[in-house]
Amino acid sequence: MIPLDRPIRIGSRQVILVDDLVLTHLTGALAERLMAVASDDPELPLYVEQESVDALSELYPGLPLYGLWQVLIASGLIPKKPGLFQVATDTEPHGGRYLLRETGNACSGRITGETLLDAFALADIAPEPIWIDPAPEILSLPPQPIQTLRYRRAQKARARLRALTAATIMVLGSAFAGTAADHILSHRHAQKVQQAEHLREQTVRLQQDLARLEAGGRIEPIDQSRRLDQLLVLSWSFQPIELPQASVLAASTLTAIVYPLDTLPPTPPAGLMARQITHQPDGSLRIVW
């Protein structure tokens, strides 16, 4: 006999075996009281009474619940062929359990002596029952236990914990991204200041060159406003730009090297009337205007 509704060791685990029901055709009245259970045999759908398994879960907290037929099916003890299969349990007054399997139909219930109880309108009963002797050492547990009220509450708690963890990670990620953005903006500002200082030094040198030329004799006014406007466009760019050391007055054309910023590829400064744009092997742009 196999015990029901009390602890039993199967393999390395302490579990509770409960009465489950094999029923191919589920009526509306029963559907309100029963809950589906995972079955390893799709032709043998399994159900348990919800209130009963919830009460057992409260009585034995921490122990997983499995259905009797659920375990016997998972252990390979129920043949695929039609037949009447019986097993003895330690429950009173109806200690026997049966499973009647027919082509396209199956049901289960209690048995006393040779009388099948809880029969679901089955007229033809197999004359020779097949007795199953399920010794605990040969039983195997299915992968999924019965989802009791306690189990469902634990699942909801774990789901809430996962959601809270994900939200915490998102908040920390946003904070990290904000800090990284601050560092990037600070780095860009420092580059802009450096470029502005470089342009200021070039402007000072231009003014000194003009002063020396004016001191040496009369010169015609030279309009460098367009070129200075182009240098101003360069100063507005957020990308690292390298300018030549030659005087902008002496050179017929000007060349600038635009370097990539972090992972961003270099782009020509908006508003710069470039004559030639060349991609360099190091990923930079060479601009001539």
Side-chain angles (χ1 to χ4, degrees):
M1 291 190 299
I2 190 167
L4 292 182
D5 300 342
R6 60 187 179 88
I8 177 177
R9 180 168 294 277
I10 298 179
S12 61
R13 301 188 64 184
Q14 194 85 358
V15 301
I16 305 293
L17 291 185
V18 301
D19 257 324
D20 54 356
L21 180 67
V22 178
L23 189 59
T24 304
H25 304 292
L26 183 62
T27 62
L30 280 176
E32 298 178 359
R33 298 166 43 202
L34 300 181
M35 177 182 68
V37 176
S39 174
D40 286 354
D41 189 335
E43 296 181 358
L44 300 177
L46 295 170
Y47 301 90
V48 292
E49 189 175 4
Q50 182 69 67
E51 293 183 2
S52 175
V53 295
D54 287 343
L56 283 172
S57 175
E58 295 295 330
L59 185 61
Y60 298 102
L63 293 184
L65 272 62
Y66 294 89
L68 171 63
W69 295 113
Q70 182 189 27
V71 171
L72 296 180
I73 293 171
S75 303
L77 298 178
I78 306 300
K80 297 290 185 180
K81 62 182 181 180
L84 177 62
F85 308 100
Q86 298 182 8
V87 61
T89 70
D90 64 351
T91 58
E92 294 294 341
H94 309 294
R97 298 293 185 272
Y98 76 89
L99 189 159
L100 180 60
R101 182 170 194 161
E102 297 181 323
T103 302
N105 193 22
C107 68
S108 68
R110 297 169 296 168
I111 184 171
T112 300
E114 297 181 357
T115 303
L116 301 183
L117 307 177
D118 308 324
F120 292 90
L122 297 175
D124 299 329
I125 302 300
E128 293 295 333
I130 301 173
W131 281 92
I132 300 172
D133 185 15
E137 58 270 15
I138 67 171
L139 296 179
S140 299
L141 293 176
Q144 183 177 344
I146 297 173
Q147 295 188 5
T148 62
L149 181 61
R150 179 186 294 272
Y151 181 85
R152 295 194 300 275
R153 286 174 178 171
Q155 277 191 322
K156 290 181 180 179
R158 284 192 291 269
R160 287 195 298 268
L161 179 60
R162 286 195 296 268
L164 181 60
T165 302
T168 303
I169 292 175
M170 290 180 62
V171 170
L172 293 177
S174 299
F176 176 77
T179 304
D182 288 341
H183 284 298
I184 292 174
L185 292 176
S186 177
H187 178 67
R188 291 180 182 176
H189 176 70
Q191 287 183 328
K192 298 288 289 184
V193 171
Q194 185 178 5
Q195 290 178 5
E197 181 62 21
H198 180 61
L199 292 175
R200 188 190 67 79
E201 292 175 356
Q202 282 198 332
T203 303
V204 171
R205 286 198 296 269
L206 285 174
Q207 291 173 346
Q208 292 173 350
D209 291 344
L210 287 173
R212 284 195 297 270
L213 289 172
E214 288 177 350
R218 183 175 178 275
I219 60 174
E220 294 294 330
I222 300 176
D223 184 9
Q224 293 290 338
S225 59
R226 181 174 178 274
R227 182 158 292 182
L228 291 175
D229 288 342
Q230 292 173 334
L231 292 174
L232 184 60
V233 169
L234 289 179
S235 71
W236 289 341
S237 176
F238 67 88
Q239 306 171 98
I241 297 177
E242 179 181 335
L243 295 172
Q245 298 298 324
S247 171
V248 295
L249 288 177
S252 59
T253 60
L254 289 182
T255 302
I257 304 297
V258 181
Y259 293 98
L261 177 61
D262 298 331
T263 58
L264 299 176
T267 57
L272 184 66
M273 305 298 292
R275 297 181 182 178
Q276 183 180 1
I277 300 175
T278 306
H279 290 273
Q280 301 292 97
D282 62 354
S284 62
L285 290 179
R286 183 175 181 271
I287 302 177
V288 180
W289 74 94

